[in-house]
Every structure is written in C-alpha cells, then in structure tokens.
C-alpha cells in the first residue's frame, strides 16, 4: 500500500474519531505528497525514498518549530507541534538507536578508509544513503564528526 493510500485511510479514521491533531498532521502529509508530485510534473506516485525524505522533512519542521516556541516560552504552541510530529513519525520506519547508527558509521569509515574531517563528505554521503528514513541527518552528522575527529 502506498503512503498516500495509508494516509487516506488514517484520515478517515481520524475524522471518525474527531481527532483534530491527527487530522491536521495527515492533511499536511497529503498536501506535501501532492505538492511533490506536481513539482516533478508527473502524476505518478513518489518512490519510497522520496516519501521517506518528505516525511523526515515534515517531522523536522515540526520539531524545529516546537524548539523555537519553547525558547520563546510558548509551550501552548510547542506541544501541538510535537504531537503532530508523533503522528507523522508513525509513517516512518522505526528509528535506529545511536549505538546502531554508530556501528553503521564505523563500518562505512572502515570501508572508505576515512582518516579525518577532510573525508566527512564521503562518509556522510554513504551514511545518509544507508540510513535514509532510519535516522535524522543531525544525529548522523554528530556521530560522524565524533568518529573522524
């Protein structure tokens, strides 16, 4: 079942349950999918990789907004953003722990023979490809920096 079909099914359930938070999140996903499809100019479905990147972007936006609201002392605005991020994360594959990410990065460093910060781009490229949808870029970057320094 495609992401779009899963979202539509979840939207119906949210409407029946009168869950406005979930409904808002699901509508954001649907809108982002439709926007991505029209940008590419094709009416065909997005690839699984494109769907994962799209979902990660939506989650990151929600978390960044919540962080800004929290800094400004607006918990009333931050909490709905975090709740929406949780709803969107349901459509992502299970996220890896930092230890699991670290193992993958250590393997990549060994394969590429990376020896310092000058090789960070090479390692990040491979790590981002292997960990798409399973880890966010910020965590990957932090671990790569720690391992290469």
């Amino acid at each position: 079942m495609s992401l779009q079909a899963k979202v539509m099914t979840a939207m119906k359930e949210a409407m029946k349950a009168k869950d406005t938070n979930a409904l808002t999140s699901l509508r954001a996903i649907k809108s982002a999918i439709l926007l991505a499809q029209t940008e590419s100019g094709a009416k065909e479905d997005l690839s699984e990789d494109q769907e994962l990147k799209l979902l990660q972007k939506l989650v990151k936006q929600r978390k960044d907004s919540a962080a800004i609201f929290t800094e400004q002392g607006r918990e009333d605005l931050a909490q709905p953003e975090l709740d929406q991020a949780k709803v969107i994360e349901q459509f992502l594959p299970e996220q890896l722990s930092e230890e699991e990410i670290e193992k993958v990065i250590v393997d990549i460093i060994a394969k590429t023979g990376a020896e310092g910060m000058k090789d960070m781009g090479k390692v990040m490229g491979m790590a981002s490809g292997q960990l798409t949808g399973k880890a966010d870029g910020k965590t990957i970057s932090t671990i790569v920096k720690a391992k290469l320094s």
Side-chain angles (χ1 to χ4, degrees), residues 1 4-24 26-27 87 90-91:
M1 182 184 289
Q4 197 164 11
K6 290 177 186 175
V7 169
M8 291 304 293
T9 303
M11 279 180 70
K12 290 175 188 171
E13 291 171 11
M15 284 181 195
K16 288 178 185 174
K18 296 186 179 9
D19 186 350
T20 57
N21 182 51
L23 198 54
T24 302
L26 295 167
R27 284 181 176 148
V87 172
Q90 294 172 357
F91 295 96

Side-chain angles (χ1 to χ4, degrees), residues 123-141:
V123 175
M124 280 297 295
M126 289 182 71
S128 295
Q130 284 185 13
L131 299 171
T132 299
K134 299 174 188 168
D136 68 300
K138 190 174 185 179
T139 305
I140 295 170
S141 174

Side-chain angles (χ1 to χ4, degrees), residues 72-134:
Q72 296 173 348
R74 296 295 310 265
E75 291 298 325
D76 58 317
L77 297 175
Q79 194 55 50
E81 293 289 330
L82 292 172
D83 293 342
Q84 286 182 22
K86 286 180 188 169
V87 172
I88 297 169
E89 284 174 337
Q90 294 172 357
F91 295 96
L92 284 170
E94 189 172 326
Q95 300 292 296
L96 297 176
S97 69
E98 286 195 24
E99 292 81 27
E100 292 169 319
I101 296 168
E102 198 170 315
K103 287 178 188 173
V104 172
I105 291 172
V106 168
D107 289 344
I108 291 170
I109 291 172
K111 285 179 190 173
T112 60
E115 296 181 348
M117 292 305 286
K118 67 182 184 336
D119 296 323
M120 183 169 175
K122 189 174 12 173
V123 175
M124 280 297 295
M126 289 182 71
S128 295
Q130 284 185 13
L131 299 171
T132 299
K134 299 174 188 168

Side-chain angles (χ1 to χ4, degrees), residues 48-77:
E48 188 175 335
D49 193 40
Q50 290 172 314
E51 289 174 347
L52 289 174
K53 287 180 181 177
L54 184 101
L55 291 171
Q56 283 183 313
K57 179 181 174 186
L58 292 173
V59 169
K60 184 177 183 326
Q61 287 173 340
R62 301 300 180 287
K63 288 183 177 180
D64 289 348
S65 295
I68 290 169
F69 288 140
T70 302
E71 284 176 19
Q72 296 173 348
R74 296 295 310 265
E75 291 298 325
D76 58 317
L77 297 175

Side-chain angles (χ1 to χ4, degrees), residues 24-53:
T24 302
S25 305
L26 295 167
R27 284 181 176 148
I29 296 172
K30 182 181 174 193
S31 173
I33 290 170
L34 292 173
L35 188 63
Q37 285 175 337
T38 56
E39 280 178 359
S40 65
K43 297 280 186 201
E44 61 195 47
D45 289 338
L46 300 175
S47 70
E48 188 175 335
D49 193 40
Q50 290 172 314
E51 289 174 347
L52 289 174
K53 287 180 181 177

